Amino acid sequence: MRRLPPQRVQHRDGVPCHVLQPVRRARVATYWHIYRAHLPEIQALGQAALVDPEFAERVARIRHAQLQTMREHLQRLQAAGSDLPGDPAVLASAFNPLLEGFCTVWAGGGGEPIGRVLGDDEAIDTLTGLLRHGLTGPRP
């Protein structure tokens, strides 16, 4: 498939994808802030899933349902001509652990030893940019 410039890829209702960047950022910000606010509960769910296979299946079903919006977005990008690096369903499932892992390290674990603090805005912008450009290619 040929790769279209970001400004030409259309979202539902004909809205260009670059216009949706604030929406995408808001979703990432919500994930980041909820993760930070509920870190003990999120970690407890993960630990409980490790020891209870039935509970692990329930958590997996919940995560799968929550990824529906991302799967649909990626399917629209692909239908509009974006050369995605894989199946939209697989890509969506790849981003959930990426977001979780990043939040675990930076929001809950104090970050990597990079010699400075990573602020909320930089963390959110980094994740948002990776989500957009890691899937659809470099910035124009």
Side-chain angles (χ1 to χ4, degrees), residues 85-134:
D87 179 280
V90 175
L91 291 170
S93 73
F95 265 91
N96 189 55
L98 180 134
L99 289 170
E100 267 189 43
F102 188 89
C103 288
T104 296
V105 169
W106 289 101
E112 294 286 342
I114 62 171
R116 63 183 177 83
V117 174
L118 181 69
D120 288 349
D121 284 336
E122 183 180 1
I124 292 163
D125 289 341
T126 298
L127 285 170
T128 303
L130 180 60
L131 177 59
R132 179 175 183 213
H133 302 294

Side-chain angles (χ1 to χ4, degrees), residues 1-2 4 8-11 17 74-83:
M1 259 185 183
R2 68 186 174 97
L4 296 176
R8 295 208 28 230
V9 176
Q10 299 293 305
H11 188 267
C17 280
L74 294 172
Q75 289 165 348
R76 283 189 297 275
L77 285 174
Q78 190 175 53
S82 286
D83 185 20

Side-chain angles (χ1 to χ4, degrees), residues 41-66:
E41 295 91 342
I42 292 168
Q43 289 177 333
L45 287 171
Q47 290 172 358
L50 288 173
V51 297
D52 184 340
E54 188 175 313
F55 185 70
E57 286 180 33
R58 288 180 60 202
V59 170
R61 284 193 305 272
I62 291 167
R63 283 186 175 143
H64 180 76
Q66 291 174 338

Side-chain angles (χ1 to χ4, degrees), residues 18-76:
H18 73 280
V19 172
L20 295 175
Q21 187 68 0
V23 174
R24 190 177 294 118
R25 187 186 190 286
R27 287 184 177 164
V28 170
T30 298
Y31 191 99
W32 173 264
H33 291 297
I34 287 174
Y35 201 96
R36 176 172 278 182
H38 299 284
L39 181 63
E41 295 91 342
I42 292 168
Q43 289 177 333
L45 287 171
Q47 290 172 358
L50 288 173
V51 297
D52 184 340
E54 188 175 313
F55 185 70
E57 286 180 33
R58 288 180 60 202
V59 170
R61 284 193 305 272
I62 291 167
R63 283 186 175 143
H64 180 76
Q66 291 174 338
L67 289 173
Q68 183 61 31
T69 300
M70 175 163 302
R71 283 191 299 274
E72 290 171 356
H73 174 69
L74 294 172
Q75 289 165 348
R76 283 189 297 275

